[in-house]
Coordinates of all heavy atoms in Angstrom, one line a residue:
A20 N 87.5 92.7 79.1 CA 86.3 93.5 78.9 C 85.9 93.4 77.5 O 84.7 93.5 77.2 CB 86.7 94.9 79.3
K21 N 86.8 93.2 76.6 CA 86.5 93.1 75.2 C 85.4 92.0 74.9 O 84.6 92.1 74.0 CB 87.7 92.9 74.3 CG 87.5 93.1 72.8 CD 88.8 93.0 72.1 CE 88.7 93.3 70.6 NZ 89.9 93.3 69.9
S22 N 85.6 90.9 75.6 CA 84.7 89.8 75.4 C 83.3 90.0 76.0 O 82.4 89.2 75.8 CB 85.3 88.5 75.9 OG 85.5 88.5 77.2
L23 N 83.2 91.0 76.8 CA 81.8 91.2 77.5 C 80.8 91.7 76.5 O 81.2 92.4 75.5 CB 82.0 92.2 78.6 CG 82.8 91.8 79.8 CD1 83.0 93.0 80.8 CD2 82.2 90.6 80.5
P24 N 79.6 91.4 76.7 CA 78.5 92.0 75.9 C 78.5 93.5 76.1 O 78.9 94.0 77.1 CB 77.2 91.4 76.4 CG 77.7 90.2 77.1 CD 79.0 90.4 77.6
P25 N 78.0 94.3 75.0 CA 78.0 95.7 75.2 C 77.3 96.3 76.4 O 77.9 97.3 77.0 CB 77.3 96.2 73.9 CG 77.5 95.1 72.9 CD 77.6 93.8 73.8
A26 N 76.2 95.7 76.8 CA 75.6 96.1 78.0 C 76.4 96.1 79.3 O 76.5 97.0 80.1 CB 74.3 95.4 78.2
E27 N 77.2 94.9 79.4 CA 78.1 94.7 80.5 C 79.3 95.7 80.5 O 79.8 96.2 81.5 CB 78.5 93.3 80.6 CG 77.4 92.4 81.0 CD 77.8 90.9 81.2 OE1 79.0 90.7 81.6 OE2 77.0 90.1 81.0
R28 N 79.8 95.9 79.2 CA 80.9 96.9 79.1 C 80.4 98.3 79.5 O 81.2 99.1 80.2 CB 81.4 97.0 77.7 CG 82.3 95.8 77.3 CD 83.1 96.0 76.1 NE 82.4 96.5 74.9 CZ 82.0 95.8 73.9 NH1 82.2 94.5 73.9 NH2 81.3 96.3 72.9
A29 N 79.2 98.6 79.2 CA 78.7 100.0 79.6 C 78.5 100.0 81.1 O 78.8 101.1 81.7 CB 77.3 100.2 79.0
Q30 N 78.1 98.9 81.8 CA 78.1 98.9 83.2 C 79.4 99.0 83.9 O 79.7 99.7 84.8 CB 77.4 97.6 83.7 CG 75.9 97.5 83.5 CD 75.4 96.2 83.8 OE1 76.0 95.2 83.8 NE2 74.1 96.2 84.2
L31 N 80.4 98.4 83.2 CA 81.8 98.4 83.7 C 82.3 99.8 83.6 O 83.0 100.4 84.5 CB 82.7 97.4 83.0 CG 84.1 97.3 83.4 CD1 84.2 96.8 84.9 CD2 84.8 96.2 82.6
L32 N 82.0 100.5 82.5 CA 82.4 101.9 82.3 C 81.8 102.8 83.3 O 82.5 103.6 83.9 CB 82.0 102.3 80.9 CG 82.4 103.7 80.4 CD1 84.0 103.8 80.4 CD2 81.8 104.0 79.0
S33 N 80.6 102.6 83.6 CA 79.9 103.4 84.7 C 80.6 103.1 86.1 O 80.8 104.1 86.8 CB 78.4 103.0 84.8 OG 77.8 103.7 85.8
L34 N 80.9 101.9 86.3 CA 81.6 101.6 87.6 C 83.0 102.3 87.6 O 83.4 102.9 88.7 CB 81.8 100.1 87.7 CG 82.5 99.6 88.9 CD1 81.7 100.0 90.2 CD2 82.7 98.1 88.9
Y35 N 83.7 102.3 86.5 CA 85.0 102.9 86.5 C 84.8 104.4 86.7 O 85.6 105.1 87.5 CB 85.7 102.8 85.1 CG 86.7 101.8 85.1 CD1 86.5 100.4 85.0 CD2 88.1 102.2 85.1 CE1 87.6 99.5 85.0 CE2 89.1 101.3 85.1 CZ 88.8 100.0 85.1 OH 89.9 99.0 85.0
E36 N 83.8 105.0 86.1 CA 83.6 106.5 86.4 C 83.3 106.8 87.9 O 83.8 107.8 88.4 CB 82.4 106.9 85.6 CG 82.7 107.0 84.1 CD 81.5 107.2 83.1 OE1 80.4 107.0 83.6 OE2 81.8 107.5 82.0
Q37 N 82.6 105.9 88.5 CA 82.3 106.1 90.0 C 83.6 106.0 90.8 O 83.9 106.8 91.7 CB 81.3 105.1 90.5 CG 79.9 105.3 89.9 CD 79.0 104.1 90.3 OE1 79.2 103.4 91.3 NE2 78.0 103.8 89.5
I38 N 84.4 105.0 90.4 CA 85.7 104.8 91.2 C 86.6 106.0 90.8 O 87.4 106.5 91.7 CB 86.3 103.5 90.7 CG1 85.5 102.3 91.2 CG2 87.7 103.3 91.4 CD1 85.9 101.0 90.7
L39 N 86.7 106.4 89.6 CA 87.5 107.6 89.3 C 87.1 108.8 90.0 O 88.0 109.7 90.2 CB 87.6 107.8 87.7 CG 88.5 106.9 86.9 CD1 88.2 107.0 85.4 CD2 90.0 107.3 87.3
D40 N 85.9 109.0 90.2 CA 85.4 110.2 91.0 C 86.1 110.1 92.4 O 86.4 111.2 93.0 CB 83.9 110.1 91.2 CG 83.1 110.6 90.0 OD1 83.8 111.2 89.1 OD2 81.9 110.3 89.9
R41 N 86.4 109.0 92.9 CA 87.0 108.9 94.2 C 88.5 108.9 94.2 O 89.2 109.2 95.2 CB 86.5 107.6 94.9 CG 85.0 107.6 95.2 CD 84.7 106.3 96.0 NE 83.2 106.2 96.1 CZ 82.5 105.1 95.8 NH1 83.1 104.0 95.5 NH2 81.2 105.2 96.0
H42 N 89.0 108.4 93.0 CA 90.5 108.4 92.9 C 90.9 108.9 91.6 O 91.4 108.3 90.7 CB 90.9 106.9 92.9 CG 90.5 106.2 94.2 ND1 91.1 106.4 95.4 CD2 89.4 105.3 94.4 CE1 90.5 105.6 96.3 NE2 89.5 105.0 95.7
P43 N 90.7 110.2 91.4 CA 91.0 110.9 90.1 C 92.5 110.9 89.7 O 92.8 111.1 88.5 CB 90.4 112.3 90.2 CG 90.5 112.6 91.7 CD 90.2 111.2 92.3
D44 N 93.3 110.7 90.6 CA 94.8 110.8 90.3 C 95.4 109.4 89.9 O 96.6 109.3 89.7 CB 95.6 111.4 91.5 CG 95.1 112.9 91.7 OD1 94.8 113.6 90.7 OD2 95.2 113.3 92.9
S45 N 94.6 108.4 89.9 CA 95.1 107.1 89.6 C 95.3 106.9 88.2 O 94.4 106.8 87.4 CB 94.1 106.0 90.1 OG 94.6 104.7 89.7
S46 N 96.6 106.8 87.8 CA 96.9 106.7 86.3 C 96.5 105.3 85.9 O 96.0 105.1 84.7 CB 98.3 107.0 86.0 OG 99.2 106.1 86.8
E47 N 96.5 104.3 86.7 CA 96.1 102.9 86.3 C 94.6 102.9 86.0 O 94.2 102.3 85.0 CB 96.5 101.9 87.4 CG 98.0 101.7 87.6 CD 98.6 102.7 88.6 OE1 97.9 103.6 89.1 OE2 99.8 102.7 88.8
L48 N 93.8 103.5 86.9 CA 92.4 103.6 86.6 C 92.1 104.4 85.4 O 91.2 104.0 84.6 CB 91.7 104.2 87.8 CG 91.6 103.3 89.1 CD1 90.9 104.1 90.2 CD2 90.7 102.1 88.7
R49 N 92.8 105.4 85.2 CA 92.5 106.3 84.0 C 92.9 105.6 82.7 O 92.3 105.6 81.7 CB 93.2 107.6 84.1 CG 92.4 108.5 85.1 CD 92.9 109.9 85.2 NE 94.3 109.9 85.7 CZ 95.3 110.6 85.2 NH1 95.2 111.3 84.1 NH2 96.5 110.5 85.7
Y50 N 93.9 104.7 82.8 CA 94.4 103.9 81.6 C 93.2 102.9 81.3 O 92.8 102.8 80.1 CB 95.7 103.2 81.9 CG 96.1 102.3 80.8 CD1 96.9 102.8 79.8 CD2 95.7 100.9 80.7 CE1 97.3 102.0 78.7 CE2 96.1 100.1 79.7 CZ 96.9 100.7 78.7 OH 97.3 99.9 77.6
G51 N 92.8 102.2 82.3 CA 91.7 101.2 82.1 C 90.5 101.9 81.6 O 89.7 101.4 80.8
Y52 N 90.2 103.1 82.1 CA 89.0 103.9 81.6 C 89.2 104.2 80.1 O 88.2 104.1 79.4 CB 88.9 105.2 82.4 CG 87.7 106.1 82.2 CD1 86.4 105.6 82.3 CD2 87.9 107.4 81.7 CE1 85.3 106.4 82.0 CE2 86.9 108.2 81.5 CZ 85.6 107.7 81.6 OH 84.5 108.6 81.3
A53 N 90.3 104.6 79.7 CA 90.5 105.0 78.3 C 90.3 103.7 77.4 O 89.7 103.8 76.4 CB 92.0 105.5 78.1
V54 N 90.8 102.6 77.9 CA 90.6 101.4 77.1 C 89.1 101.1 77.0 O 88.5 100.7 75.9 CB 91.3 100.2 77.8 CG1 90.9 98.8 77.1 CG2 92.8 100.4 77.7
L55 N 88.4 101.2 78.2 CA 87.0 100.9 78.1 C 86.2 101.9 77.3 O 85.2 101.5 76.6 CB 86.4 101.0 79.6 CG 86.6 99.7 80.4 CD1 86.2 100.0 81.8 CD2 85.9 98.6 79.8
L56 N 86.6 103.1 77.3 CA 86.0 104.1 76.4 C 86.2 103.7 74.9 O 85.2 103.8 74.1 CB 86.6 105.5 76.6 CG 86.2 106.2 77.9 CD1 87.1 107.4 78.1 CD2 84.7 106.7 77.8
E57 N 87.3 103.2 74.6 CA 87.6 102.8 73.2 C 86.7 101.6 72.9 O 86.0 101.6 71.8 CB 89.0 102.4 73.1 CG 89.4 101.8 71.7 CD 90.8 101.4 71.7 OE1 91.4 101.0 72.7 OE2 91.3 101.3 70.5
L58 N 86.6 100.6 73.8 CA 85.7 99.5 73.6 C 84.2 99.8 73.5 O 83.4 99.1 72.9 CB 85.9 98.4 74.7 CG 87.3 97.8 74.7 CD1 87.4 96.9 76.0 CD2 87.5 96.9 73.5
N59 N 83.9 101.0 74.1 CA 82.5 101.4 74.1 C 82.2 102.4 73.0 O 81.3 103.3 73.2 CB 82.1 101.9 75.5 CG 81.7 100.8 76.4 OD1 80.7 100.2 76.3 ND2 82.6 100.5 77.4
N60 N 83.0 102.4 72.0 CA 82.8 103.3 70.9 C 82.8 104.8 71.3 O 82.0 105.6 70.7 CB 81.6 102.9 70.1 CG 81.7 101.5 69.5 OD1 82.8 101.1 69.0 ND2 80.7 100.7 69.6
Q61 N 83.7 105.2 72.1 CA 83.8 106.6 72.5 C 85.3 107.0 72.3 O 86.0 107.4 73.3 CB 83.4 106.8 74.0 CG 82.0 106.5 74.2 CD 81.6 106.7 75.6 OE1 82.0 107.7 76.2 NE2 80.8 105.8 76.2
P62 N 85.8 106.9 71.0 CA 87.2 107.1 70.8 C 87.7 108.5 71.1 O 88.9 108.7 71.5 CB 87.4 106.8 69.3 CG 86.0 107.0 68.8 CD 85.1 106.6 69.8
D63 N 86.9 109.6 70.9 CA 87.3 110.9 71.2 C 87.6 111.1 72.7 O 88.6 111.7 73.1 CB 86.3 111.9 70.7 CG 86.3 111.9 69.2 OD1 87.3 111.6 68.5 OD2 85.2 112.3 68.7
K64 N 86.7 110.5 73.6 CA 87.0 110.6 75.0 C 88.2 109.8 75.4 O 88.9 110.1 76.3 CB 85.7 110.1 75.8 CG 84.6 111.2 75.8 CD 83.3 110.7 76.4 CE 83.5 110.7 77.9 NZ 82.2 110.4 78.6
A65 N 88.3 108.6 74.8 CA 89.4 107.8 75.0 C 90.8 108.5 74.7 O 91.7 108.4 75.5 CB 89.3 106.5 74.3
L66 N 90.8 109.2 73.5 CA 91.9 109.9 73.1 C 92.3 111.0 74.1 O 93.5 111.2 74.4 CB 91.7 110.4 71.7 CG 92.9 111.1 71.0 CD1 94.1 110.2 70.9 CD2 92.5 111.7 69.7
A67 N 91.3 111.7 74.5 CA 91.5 112.8 75.4 C 92.1 112.3 76.8 O 93.0 112.9 77.3 CB 90.3 113.6 75.7
T68 N 91.6 111.1 77.2 CA 92.2 110.5 78.4 C 93.6 110.0 78.2 O 94.4 110.2 79.1 CB 91.2 109.4 78.8 OG1 89.9 109.8 79.0 CG2 91.7 108.7 80.1
S69 N 93.8 109.4 77.1 CA 95.2 108.9 76.8 C 96.2 110.1 76.6 O 97.3 110.0 77.0 CB 95.2 108.0 75.6 OG 95.1 108.7 74.4
Q70 N 95.7 111.2 76.1 CA 96.6 112.4 75.9 C 97.0 112.9 77.3 O 98.2 113.3 77.5 CB 95.9 113.5 75.1 CG 96.7 114.7 74.9 CD 98.0 114.5 74.2 OE1 97.9 114.0 73.1 NE2 99.1 114.8 74.7
A71 N 96.1 112.9 78.2 CA 96.4 113.4 79.6 C 97.4 112.4 80.2 O 98.3 112.8 80.9 CB 95.1 113.5 80.4
L72 N 97.2 111.1 80.0 CA 98.1 110.1 80.6 C 99.5 110.3 79.9 O 100.5 110.2 80.6 CB 97.6 108.7 80.3 CG 96.4 108.3 81.2 CD1 95.8 107.0 80.6 CD2 96.9 108.0 82.6
L73 N 99.6 110.5 78.7 CA 100.8 110.7 78.0 C 101.6 111.9 78.4 O 102.8 111.9 78.6 CB 100.6 110.8 76.4 CG 101.8 110.8 75.6 CD1 102.6 109.5 75.7 CD2 101.4 111.0 74.1
T74 N 100.9 113.0 78.7 CA 101.5 114.2 79.3 C 102.1 113.9 80.6 O 103.2 114.4 80.9 CB 100.4 115.3 79.4 OG1 99.9 115.6 78.2 CG2 101.1 116.5 80.1
E75 N 101.5 113.1 81.5 CA 102.1 112.7 82.7 C 103.1 111.7 82.7 O 104.0 111.7 83.6 CB 100.9 112.2 83.6 CG 99.8 113.2 83.9 CD 98.6 112.6 84.6 OE1 98.7 111.5 85.1 OE2 97.6 113.3 84.7
S76 N 103.0 110.8 81.8 CA 103.9 109.6 81.7 C 104.4 109.4 80.3 O 104.1 108.4 79.6 CB 103.3 108.3 82.2 OG 102.7 108.5 83.5
P77 N 105.2 110.4 79.7 CA 105.6 110.3 78.4 C 106.5 109.1 78.0 O 106.7 108.8 76.8 CB 106.3 111.6 78.1 CG 106.8 112.0 79.5 CD 105.8 111.5 80.4
E78 N 107.1 108.4 79.0 CA 108.0 107.3 78.8 C 107.3 106.0 78.9 O 107.9 104.9 78.7 CB 109.2 107.5 79.7 CG 109.9 108.7 79.6 CD 110.7 108.9 78.3 OE1 111.3 107.9 77.8 OE2 110.8 110.0 77.8
N79 N 106.1 105.9 79.4 CA 105.4 104.7 79.6 C 104.9 104.0 78.3 O 104.1 104.5 77.6 CB 104.1 105.0 80.5 CG 103.4 103.7 80.9 OD1 103.2 102.8 80.1 ND2 102.9 103.8 82.1
P80 N 105.5 102.8 78.0 CA 105.3 102.1 76.8 C 103.8 101.8 76.6 O 103.3 101.9 75.5 CB 106.1 100.9 76.8 CG 107.1 101.1 77.9 CD 106.5 102.1 78.8
A81 N 103.1 101.4 77.7 CA 101.7 101.0 77.6 C 100.8 102.3 77.1 O 99.9 102.2 76.3 CB 101.1 100.4 78.8
V82 N 101.2 103.4 77.7 CA 100.4 104.6 77.4 C 100.7 105.1 76.0 O 99.9 105.5 75.3 CB 100.8 105.8 78.5 CG1 100.2 107.1 78.0 CG2 100.3 105.4 79.8
I83 N 102.0 105.0 75.6 CA 102.4 105.4 74.3 C 101.6 104.5 73.2 O 101.1 105.0 72.2 CB 103.9 105.3 74.1 CG1 104.6 106.3 74.9 CG2 104.3 105.4 72.6 CD1 106.1 106.1 75.1
T84 N 101.6 103.2 73.5 CA 101.0 102.3 72.6 C 99.4 102.6 72.5 O 98.9 102.7 71.4 CB 101.2 100.8 73.0 OG1 102.6 100.6 73.0 CG2 100.5 99.9 72.0
L85 N 98.8 102.8 73.6 CA 97.4 103.1 73.6 C 97.1 104.4 72.9 O 96.2 104.4 72.1 CB 96.9 103.2 75.1 CG 95.5 103.7 75.3 CD1 94.5 102.7 74.7 CD2 95.2 104.0 76.7
H86 N 97.9 105.4 73.1 CA 97.7 106.7 72.5 C 97.9 106.6 71.0 O 97.1 107.2 70.2 CB 98.6 107.8 73.1 CG 98.3 109.1 72.7 ND1 97.1 109.8 73.0 CD2 99.0 109.9 71.8 CE1 97.1 111.0 72.4 NE2 98.2 111.1 71.7
A87 N 98.9 105.9 70.6 CA 99.2 105.7 69.1 C 98.0 105.1 68.4 O 97.6 105.4 67.4 CB 100.5 105.0 68.9
R88 N 97.5 104.0 69.1 CA 96.4 103.3 68.5 C 95.1 104.2 68.4 O 94.4 104.2 67.4 CB 96.1 102.0 69.3 CG 95.0 101.2 68.8 CD 94.7 99.9 69.6 NE 94.1 100.2 70.8 CZ 94.6 99.8 72.0 NH1 95.7 99.1 72.0 NH2 94.0 100.0 73.1
L89 N 94.9 105.0 69.5 CA 93.8 105.9 69.4 C 93.9 107.0 68.4 O 92.9 107.3 67.7 CB 93.5 106.5 70.8 CG 93.0 105.4 71.9 CD1 93.1 106.0 73.3 CD2 91.6 105.0 71.6
V90 N 95.1 107.5 68.2 CA 95.3 108.5 67.2 C 95.1 107.9 65.9 O 94.4 108.5 65.0 CB 96.8 109.1 67.3 CG1 97.1 109.9 66.1 CG2 96.9 109.9 68.6
K91 N 95.6 106.7 65.6 CA 95.4 106.0 64.3 C 93.9 105.8 64.1 O 93.4 106.1 63.0 CB 96.1 104.6 64.3 CG 95.9 103.8 63.0 CD 96.5 102.5 63.2 CE 96.2 101.6 62.1 NZ 94.9 101.0 62.2
N92 N 93.2 105.4 65.1 CA 91.8 105.0 64.9 C 90.9 106.3 64.7 O 89.8 106.2 64.1 CB 91.3 104.2 66.0 CG 91.8 102.8 66.0 OD1 92.3 102.3 65.0 ND2 91.8 102.1 67.1
T93 N 91.3 107.4 65.3 CA 90.5 108.6 65.2 C 91.0 109.6 64.1 O 90.1 110.4 63.6 CB 90.5 109.3 66.6 OG1 91.8 109.6 67.0 CG2 89.7 108.5 67.6
Q94 N 92.3 109.6 63.9 CA 92.8 110.6 63.0 C 93.6 110.0 61.7 O 94.0 110.8 60.9 CB 93.8 111.5 63.7 CG 93.0 112.2 64.9 CD 94.0 113.0 65.7 OE1 95.2 113.3 65.4 NE2 93.5 113.4 66.9
G95 N 93.7 108.7 61.7 CA 94.4 108.1 60.5 C 95.8 107.7 60.7 O 96.5 108.1 61.7
N96 N 96.3 106.9 59.8 CA 97.6 106.4 59.9 C 98.7 107.5 59.9 O 99.7 107.4 60.6 CB 97.9 105.4 58.8 CG 97.2 104.1 58.9 OD1 96.9 103.7 60.0 ND2 96.9 103.4 57.9
D97 N 98.6 108.5 59.1 CA 99.6 109.5 58.9 C 99.8 110.2 60.3 O 101.0 110.5 60.7 CB 99.2 110.6 57.9 CG 99.2 110.0 56.5 OD1 99.9 109.0 56.3 OD2 98.6 110.6 55.6
K98 N 98.7 110.5 61.0 CA 98.9 111.2 62.4 C 99.5 110.3 63.3 O 100.4 110.7 64.2 CB 97.5 111.6 62.9 CG 96.9 112.7 62.1 CD 97.5 114.1 62.3 CE 96.7 115.2 61.7 NZ 97.2 116.5 61.9
A99 N 99.2 109.0 63.3 CA 99.8 108.0 64.2 C 101.3 107.8 63.9 O 102.1 107.8 64.9 CB 99.0 106.7 64.1
I100 N 101.7 107.8 62.7 CA 103.1 107.7 62.3 C 103.9 108.9 62.7 O 104.9 108.9 63.3 CB 103.3 107.4 60.8 CG1 102.7 106.1 60.5 CG2 104.7 107.6 60.4 CD1 102.6 105.8 59.0
A101 N 103.2 110.1 62.6 CA 103.9 111.4 63.0 C 104.0 111.4 64.5 O 104.9 112.0 65.0 CB 103.1 112.6 62.5
F102 N 103.1 110.8 65.2 CA 103.2 110.8 66.6 C 104.4 110.1 67.1 O 105.2 110.4 67.8 CB 101.9 110.1 67.3 CG 102.0 109.7 68.7 CD1 102.0 110.7 69.7 CD2 102.2 108.5 69.1 CE1 102.2 110.4 71.0 CE2 102.3 108.1 70.4 CZ 102.3 109.1 71.4

């Protein structure tokens, strides 16, 4: 998705939102949604999504890594290190 032009990433984000409406409990879809939010310059929404995922799956390395990156990008290195 990162290599897609911004307009196509926005379309993909819209598609994810439609699918999430049908499958709100899918952690895999919500993880992808958080990544797409980040790629679409919506880091606060991405962080909120990753926080919810982290609450549900605190041992998941992919979720931990995503959340740490989002914390770093939105709140700075000190917060990410403390996380």
Side-chain angles (χ1 to χ4, degrees):
K21 188 175 187 175
S22 63
L23 293 174
E27 290 183 28
R28 284 198 310 259
Q30 289 176 332
L31 188 56
L32 186 61
S33 177
L34 180 60
Y35 256 82
E36 289 168 347
Q37 292 173 26
I38 295 170
L39 277 169
D40 284 344
R41 294 184 188 134
H42 305 282
D44 295 330
S45 171
S46 58
E47 292 86 2
L48 285 172
R49 288 185 293 131
Y50 179 88
Y52 182 62
V54 171
L55 282 173
L56 286 167
E57 179 184 23
L58 291 173
N59 279 287
N60 299 317
Q61 298 181 43
D63 292 332
K64 286 177 75 173
L66 183 61
T68 302
S69 73
Q70 180 63 56
L72 287 168
L73 188 62
T74 300
E75 296 169 14
S76 302
E78 304 289 324
N79 184 320
V82 172
I83 293 167
T84 301
L85 173 65
H86 188 71
R88 183 177 70 236
L89 291 168
V90 169
K91 177 186 174 279
N92 292 341
T93 58
Q94 301 173 15
N96 287 336
D97 292 340
K98 293 283 186 178
I100 292 170
F102 165 73

